[in-house]
DNA sequence: GTGGTCTAGACCACG
DNA sequence: GTGGTCTAGACCACG
């Protein structure tokens, strides 16, 4: 899986890494149990500080997306916690996006089509 | 309309104000042409600096949501530009949220119900 | 001649009045010697303070575009001073606009066409 | 590149900075990808507050002229959006300048020569 | 070291 | 009274 960093984004680099790995797991590009590159490998590959990658991995671990051990490095967790809830921050973000979409003249049907495409099948 | 600031949020205060006003316009709580509180009134009401409120208003102005004049203060714009697009940042955010929702075990139907509730009718 | 005020413009109202009268003289809509509406008439017509119109007239007078006397009110000057220079402020503004036009991908030919249309004949 | 502030100008300092950087990019004095001075360096160089410089940079960023990141500071964007339009404010300003130029006795040919010089080649 | 945020307080032009 | 500008100074996350 290829991680692409936008160094000029407002989103911190460690968060960009975290987000792309989460999206990779969700899309199936990263399978359950699959091994992630080592911190050192990934940081040299994308040309950033190891601390930054390490921070991304720590967040993914604390969120329950990956497991780490000294021997095997990091792996995608096979049983990700199914909270079945969006969480308050994502709910707030989603409300904001929905509001802006409505004001920009997008119809609910169009918005649902966007969601459908993103969801895959 | 009541603005509530979460001082522990990662979202800057001026952005929280901006977001809540956008959501207020979208929901109809703030009507087209309606007058917003003055910078001074709002800043004293929520206990923050006038510069911070001013920054929120300037962003809303530059985004085309409100208009300001020296005499009457700020008003909700009656004709908000209908770009009919989400914008690249909102698209990225939405992709991330969809990915996290899927991984948390939310079904597409449940997600669409969340959208439906947020959308209103 | 009809003066249209944009109350939400960053350009002060007195300057909007001044600018529109200058453009009216330049286009020929206002002829040399033609009488302008009284301060009172114009201010009530466009619904603003008499002081604001008065300020516009004072600027036009000091710039040599109009003449005022108690008996006849304000008239377009028949011999406007032909300095044949842009002035430093207009020169700076024009430089800025040219720079922005270039960066936006407008060609010199296209820009000259815009000038031609504005110039009339 | 040297930024010169006119403290007596009606143009706010942050806008003077913004304008001079835009003109620098347009003239080629600032090249695509070139690094701008840091907020602190520029503010101390021209003797003004960091907030004022920061505001100029934020405007340039929101307009798409520059990119900022925490590590490297600000850089001139390599691909500036080519809208190919003047924008309504610049169009209005240009109309005003053309009108004043005509009234001052400048011929269309002379005006086009001024444009030509500003445009470079 | 970098840009970003926020404050307290001042002053300004406009109307 | 209104929004807009600017300062001096502080603190912050990111890298």
């Amino acid at each position: 899986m290829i991680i692409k960093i936008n160094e000029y984004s407002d989103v911190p680099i460690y968060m960009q890494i975290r987000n792309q790995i989460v999206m990779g797991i969700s899309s199936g590009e990263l399978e359950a149990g699959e091994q992630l590159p080592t911190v050192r490998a990934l940081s040299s590959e994308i040309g950033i500080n190891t601390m930054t990658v390490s921070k991304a991995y720590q967040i993914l671990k604390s969120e329950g997306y990956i497991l780490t051990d000294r021997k095997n490095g990091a792996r995608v967790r096979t049983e990700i916690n199914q909270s079945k809830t969006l969480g308050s921050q994502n709910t707030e973000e989603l409300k904001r996006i929905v509001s802006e979409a409505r004001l920009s003249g997008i119809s609910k049907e169009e918005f649902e089509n966007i969601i459908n495409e993103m969801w895959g099948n």
Side-chain angles (χ1 to χ4, degrees), chain A:
Chain A
M1 184 193 180
I2 296 158
I3 306 280
K4 280 184 70 178
I5 299 303
N6 176 359
E7 59 178 324
Y8 297 110
S9 168
D10 289 335
V11 182
I13 294 173
Y14 72 85
M15 211 59 187
Q16 293 185 43
I17 297 171
R18 179 264 177 205
N19 290 343
Q20 288 181 45
I21 290 174
V22 170
M23 291 191 280
I25 298 171
S26 181
S27 73
E29 195 177 352
L30 290 170
E31 286 171 35
E34 184 170 341
Q35 190 151 359
L36 294 176
T38 64
V39 167
R40 211 168 281 179
L42 185 52
S43 62
S44 82
E45 184 190 323
I46 56 186
I48 56 165
N49 201 299
T50 55
M51 287 295 287
T52 307
V53 177
S54 181
K55 192 168 182 178
Y57 278 23
Q58 278 167 36
I59 289 170
L60 287 162
K61 186 182 173 186
S62 75
E63 290 177 325
Y65 288 119
I66 67 171
L67 289 168
T68 61
D69 69 85
R70 277 180 218 88
K71 206 160 107 201
N72 301 309
R75 291 181 176 282
V76 177
R77 212 163 162 175
T78 46
E79 301 215 348
I80 289 168
N81 186 33
Q82 304 267 300
S83 70
K84 296 219 171 202
T85 55
L86 266 184
S88 62
Q89 278 189 32
N90 279 343
T91 303
E92 278 311 300
E93 274 292 279
L94 190 54
K95 270 188 200 164
R96 181 188 62 71
I97 292 170
V98 164
S99 295
E100 293 185 22
R102 280 182 49 148
L103 286 174
S104 80
I106 293 174
S107 70
K108 193 160 76 176
E109 288 68 35
E110 287 165 333
F111 195 78
E112 281 172 350
N113 286 340
I114 293 169
I115 300 289
N116 266 313
E117 272 184 52
M118 288 178 176
W119 202 279
N121 52 358

